[in-house]
Amino acid sequence: MTDSPAHGRVNPAGEHGRGPSSPVRVLHVDDEAEFSEIVDRFLGRTDQSIEVVTAERTEAALDLLAEREIDCVVSDYDMPDMNGTEFLEAVRVEYPDLPFILFTGKGSEEIASEAISRGVTDYLQKDVGTDQFELLANRIVNAVSRYHAERGLAARATQQSVIAELGQRALESLDLDGLLEYAVTAVADTLGVDHVKILERSAGGESLTLRAAVGWPDAEADETTIETDSQAGYTLRSGEPIVVEDFDTETRFAEPGILPHRGITSGVSTLIGPADDPWGVLGAHSAAPRSFTEDEVTFVQSAANVLAEAVRRHDIEAQLREGEERFRRMAEASPDVIFRTTRDGFFTYVSPVVEDVLGYDRDALEGEHFGRIVPDSSMEAAMEGFAVVVDGDPVEGLRVEIERADDGTAWMEINAVPLTSDGAVDEVLGFTRDVTDEMDQQRDLEEREKKFRAVFEAALAPMLLADDDGTYVDANPAACELFGLDRESLIGRSIDEFAPQDYDFEEAWNAFQTHGAGRGTFPLVLEDGTRRTVEHASTRDVVPGLHLAILRDVTADGSE
């Protein structure tokens, strides 16, 4: 016995249990027992694939049809309980396509016509000699071949239709449990088997858990943990479809998991998901002996593939929902307004704090374009920044005015990043904070700077600005005149460059930094060596990091 999926008979024909090596099972109905024995013996000699069961009465024959898998009925015409055409009509009620050959010694055109009208497959008149049995065997084999070929085509069409419906359901719904329940029923109905189960593999692979099943009493279906030493477990280890024709002779694994002691004879199982990381196993089992065709194994694999994709989508959706939930928890705890928009600029999410910051109800904003709350004065900057993000680049520190829900506007600073899917930007995520107070302070500073600059430039007294290192960063025209240098030549020079060599500039500068202001005289040494005595009034941090000195030349005669 091998480990290949072809163990047990996997037939290439389309109908279950059929293939080139399958026997042709014939039900011969004739009330003449001796003639039946002769027919049976000669049929077996003529074609060894033919297996014959006999019935002397039509009632017994109908029972055999219900109990056994029969490929063809061969019937006499003249019988005591009902004639051949009446028996044909009874057979056609339950088996409308089963090959039925009327093999009779009482032949007439009338009987032949009636048999044809009731759906007989073939009509053969009994004759003398053994040639008739060879002819009958040929008619049987040909009729059964056509019958199973036609059923195979129909079975494949049905299987394809079921897979299409299963795939459509998988696309339309994220209800995985409902899809699994539908799948086990569809597979059972399509294959005509008693039991179908779907087992999910545990994270560590030590066990299998029943997720959906058909064909078990509730008490058995409640026993959900399945050992891996079973057909399902062997399927996981082999990574291939596993077919079993007879569990009584199976040696590759133990009995089929959740089916012990239920008379299960045959089964097929396949992986759900990739062989290197399967999600679980789909298995179908039959109490009646049967083999599974290649088409049927392919059908089970196709159903498992659809389920694997559905599981993958379900897991992705679950991860997305979990990520969305984490995002919302974070966003709703943040003091900043957090938003998402489509790549076209329509809000898909706005955090609740927007009501406190801007006065808007978040539900009223979702679905609206962000341009609705941007005034004309900031629209160009907002649109340009948004375009940058849609092109795939982040934007940081973008400041725009936003209209409040009541009156007025607020200055908001926005950081935004693109959210991509399959390499393309499909959403924009933004974080905004209210910087209105900062902008007001900035405007105040700018206004004070403007006023200071006007006084600085027009003052008759020399004025200079130095940084924390004592380096001149600005000088007004009067200071340039006093130093005898233009502004470009003076800026960047250190104060101690204009002090005598014996002047302790570092001590004087540290004292100024400590006290924040100072008055006194300073021995100014000009570029040409001329010395001037100047009074100074110095103020620290007139602008943060900049220190102002106002000078007055107090040299007695204007020169030394």
Side-chain angles (χ1 to χ4, degrees):
M1 191 171 295
T2 67
D3 288 347
S4 73
H7 173 64
R9 198 162 56 230
V10 182
N11 301 311
E15 187 205 355
H16 67 260
R18 297 302 309 166
S21 61
S22 298
V24 176
R25 293 159 293 222
V26 176
L27 173 60
H28 184 204
V29 186
D30 197 315
D31 61 329
E32 295 182 12
E34 291 182 1
F35 182 76
S36 287
E37 185 179 347
I38 294 171
V39 171
D40 300 348
R41 186 168 63 252
F42 274 97
L43 285 178
R45 290 178 182 176
T46 303
D47 191 321
Q48 294 182 356
S49 69
I50 296 176
E51 297 178 356
V52 182
V53 293
T54 61
E56 296 181 11
R57 300 182 66 85
T58 56
E59 183 179 351
L62 291 172
D63 289 341
L64 285 171
L65 279 173
E67 295 168 1
R68 300 193 184 187
E69 190 170 353
I70 299 298
D71 298 311
C72 181
V73 176
V74 176
S75 175
D76 189 16
Y77 177 80
D78 195 5
M79 295 182 290
D81 48 352
M82 64 175 73
N83 64 38
T85 54
E86 291 171 340
F87 176 51
L88 168 62
E89 188 172 17
V91 169
R92 286 288 175 256
V93 172
E94 293 294 332
Y95 312 96
D97 301 316
L98 185 68
F100 190 108
I101 298 175
L102 196 59
F103 185 46
T104 178
K106 186 176 182 180
S108 71
E109 189 173 325
E110 180 182 352
I111 293 174
S113 176
E114 182 183 2
I116 292 171
S117 68
R118 294 189 180 187
V120 76
T121 306
D122 208 340
Y123 177 88
L124 190 62
Q125 192 165 352
K126 294 177 183 178
D127 203 349
V128 294
T130 59
D131 290 347
Q132 62 177 325
F133 303 123
E134 184 175 349
L135 179 60
L136 177 60
N138 289 336
R139 298 281 182 92
I140 290 171
V141 170
N142 290 337
V144 169
S145 296
R146 288 195 303 271
Y147 168 65
H148 287 302
E150 291 169 0
R151 291 194 66 182
L153 290 173
R156 283 193 290 275
T158 299
Q159 292 163 8
Q160 291 167 2
S161 175
V162 169
I163 293 301
E165 174 65 18
L166 184 62
Q168 189 64 32
R169 286 173 178 259
L171 288 174
E172 291 176 351
S173 174
L174 293 174
D175 177 13
L176 183 60
D177 288 336
L179 183 67
L180 298 181
E181 291 292 343
Y182 173 80
V184 293
T185 301
V187 170
D189 290 345
T190 304
L191 294 181
V193 296
D194 311 290
H195 307 283
V196 176
K197 65 181 181 296
I198 291 174
L199 303 171
E200 180 180 1
R201 183 176 67 110
S202 65
E206 300 87 1
S207 63
L208 293 156
T209 301
L210 186 67
R211 287 293 303 270
V214 65
W216 285 272
D218 292 340
E220 289 188 18
D222 287 341
E223 297 178 7
T224 59
T225 302
I226 315 303
E227 297 300 323
T228 55
D229 186 20
S230 63
Q231 181 181 358
Y234 186 79
T235 304
L236 285 177
R237 294 191 297 275
S238 70
E240 298 179 320
I242 300 299
V243 176
V244 178
E245 187 173 295
D246 188 349
F247 278 104
D248 287 340
T249 59
E250 179 58 55
T251 61
R252 293 172 294 177
F253 44 82
E255 55 192 343
I258 60 175
L259 300 174
H261 315 303
R262 289 192 53 79
I264 297 304
T265 301
S266 308
V268 56
S269 57
T270 190
L271 294 179
I272 299 173
D276 57 350
D277 186 25
W279 177 86
V281 174
L282 169 62
H285 295 88
S286 172
R290 62 168 292 174
S291 52
F292 290 87
T293 69
E294 290 179 3
D295 284 342
E296 288 174 327
V297 174
T298 299
F299 165 69
V300 176
Q301 285 181 290
S302 298
N305 290 340
V306 172
L307 295 177
E309 179 61 22
V311 168
R312 189 188 71 83
R313 287 184 62 245
H314 180 270
D315 289 346
I316 290 173
E317 291 293 336
Q319 293 170 10
L320 290 175
R321 287 194 298 272
E322 184 179 345
E324 177 69 13
E325 183 60 30
R326 286 199 302 267
F327 165 77
R328 287 179 178 265
R329 286 198 299 268
M330 178 273 293
E332 293 177 9
S334 172
D336 297 333
V337 178
I338 299 176
F339 67 86
R340 282 201 312 254
T341 74
T342 65
R343 61 176 292 115
D344 297 321
F346 292 90
F347 288 115
T348 58
Y349 174 83
V350 183
S351 61
V353 76
V354 70
E355 187 169 353
D356 298 330
V357 176
L358 296 171
Y360 290 103
D361 181 275
R362 63 186 294 190
D363 295 332
L365 284 181
E366 290 180 3
E368 294 287 338
H369 194 277
F370 73 81
R372 170 193 159 188
I373 59 175
V374 179
D376 292 343
S377 58
S378 287
M379 185 63 75
E380 183 176 356
M383 294 298 290
E384 288 178 355
F386 187 79
V388 169
V389 182
V390 170
D391 284 342
D393 295 316
V395 165
E396 295 183 1
L398 175 64
R399 292 192 171 189
V400 295
E401 273 190 295
I402 299 294
E403 294 176 346
R404 296 184 184 273
D406 42 20
D407 291 326
T409 60
W411 279 95
M412 306 296 289
E413 184 177 83
I414 302 173
N415 293 338
V417 295
L419 300 178
T420 61
S421 176
D422 296 328
V425 176
D426 57 4
E427 281 193 301
V428 171
L429 173 63
F431 303 83
T432 68
R433 66 184 185 95
D434 190 343
V435 293
T436 303
D437 291 343
E438 292 180 26
M439 294 295 290
D440 290 343
Q441 292 172 3
Q442 183 177 337
R443 279 195 294 269
D444 289 344
L445 286 173
E446 289 172 355
E447 190 61 32
R448 288 203 303 271
E449 170 69 19
K450 221 182 272 185
K451 292 177 181 178
F452 171 79
R453 178 57 59 183
V455 172
F456 185 80
E457 293 293 335
L460 297 177
M463 292 184 177
L464 298 105
L465 287 172
D467 62 17
D468 288 335
D469 296 326
T471 300
Y472 290 127
V473 296
D474 205 353
N476 72 350
C480 293
E481 183 179 353
L482 173 63
F483 279 74
L485 298 170
D486 59 30
R487 180 175 295 184
E488 287 74 17
S489 301
L490 186 53
I491 291 174
R493 304 281 291 273
S494 176
I495 296 173
D496 68 345
E497 293 182 45
F498 299 96
Q501 291 184 354
D502 59 352
Y503 184 80
D504 192 345
F505 169 74
E506 185 175 353
E507 181 181 354
W509 185 251
N510 288 337
F512 165 69
Q513 291 280 40
T514 300
H515 295 95
R519 287 177 174 275
T521 60
F522 178 74
L524 179 64
V525 180
L526 301 180
E527 190 94 319
D528 60 3
T530 302
R531 296 194 174 204
R532 314 292 296 178
T533 301
V534 296
E535 287 184 343
H536 69 89
S538 301
T539 304
R540 190 181 69 186
D541 292 325
V542 290
V543 175
L546 296 179
H547 318 296
L548 174 67
I550 303 176
L551 307 181
R552 186 167 72 90
D553 188 355
V554 294
T555 306
D557 59 356
S559 65
E560 281 191 5

